[in-house]
Amino acid sequence: MADRPVIVEGWRPGALGFIIGEHGRYYAEHWGFGSFFEAGVASELGAFQRRYDPSRDLLLLAVVDGTILASLVIDGHDPTSPPGHAHLRFFIISETARGLGLGESMLRRALSHVDRIGAPCWLTTFAGLDAARHLYQRHGFRLEAESDAASWGVTVREQLFRRPLPSVASAAIHVA
């Protein structure tokens, strides 16, 4: 890749299509997910975009020469979130952009946002996405629960990760 991707905030033409398409392709190829999953991503992403409020929500995109290569969303208004919490979701990096440090850069920027708005953060994923799990854990997320489920149309070992606000996490460390 000749040019280095730039991380930008907010919607760009094609952003929703990239997020839906990249999730559909990746999870079908590597995990056998089908149209049920892709339709769920489309529905939830559309709902997020309709309620998007930049004072609490964040849409990050990595772009090079007008082409979107990665996405990450902080959904500060997700109706499934506990009150005051933010939901990290739609985090994906295209095959051609992996290994450039985008995941680390995007996650740091997203967590700066949740710290600024004062929101503990949570996400769901599933067992087997080891690189993502290590990234989340390096940034203070802790595995809180896991169970076999078919929420995405295929049975996987779903995992719930939570990250408290840094002041809460550091206070817990000092007490121990």
Side-chain angles (χ1 to χ4, degrees), residues 144-168:
E144 186 172 288
E146 60 183 336
S147 62
D148 291 334
S151 302
W152 292 307
V154 172
T155 301
V156 293
R157 186 85 179 151
E158 290 186 4
Q159 300 174 320
L160 170 65
F161 283 84
R162 291 194 189 277
R163 177 186 175 265
L165 288 173
S167 60
V168 173

Side-chain angles (χ1 to χ4, degrees), residues 13-75:
L16 303 181
F18 167 82
I19 296 168
I20 296 162
E22 198 64 28
H23 276 79
R25 279 185 292 281
Y26 176 82
Y27 288 100
E29 180 181 335
H30 297 282
W31 297 95
F33 289 17
S35 63
F36 178 87
F37 170 74
E38 195 168 345
V41 170
S43 176
E44 292 178 25
L45 182 61
F48 164 76
Q49 192 61 39
R50 284 187 295 279
R51 68 177 177 265
Y52 181 80
D53 174 356
S55 70
R56 191 152 171 89
D57 302 319
L58 180 68
L59 169 59
L60 293 177
L61 302 169
V63 180
V64 67
D65 296 329
T67 301
I68 299 168
L69 301 173
S71 66
L72 187 154
V73 162
I74 296 295
D75 189 342

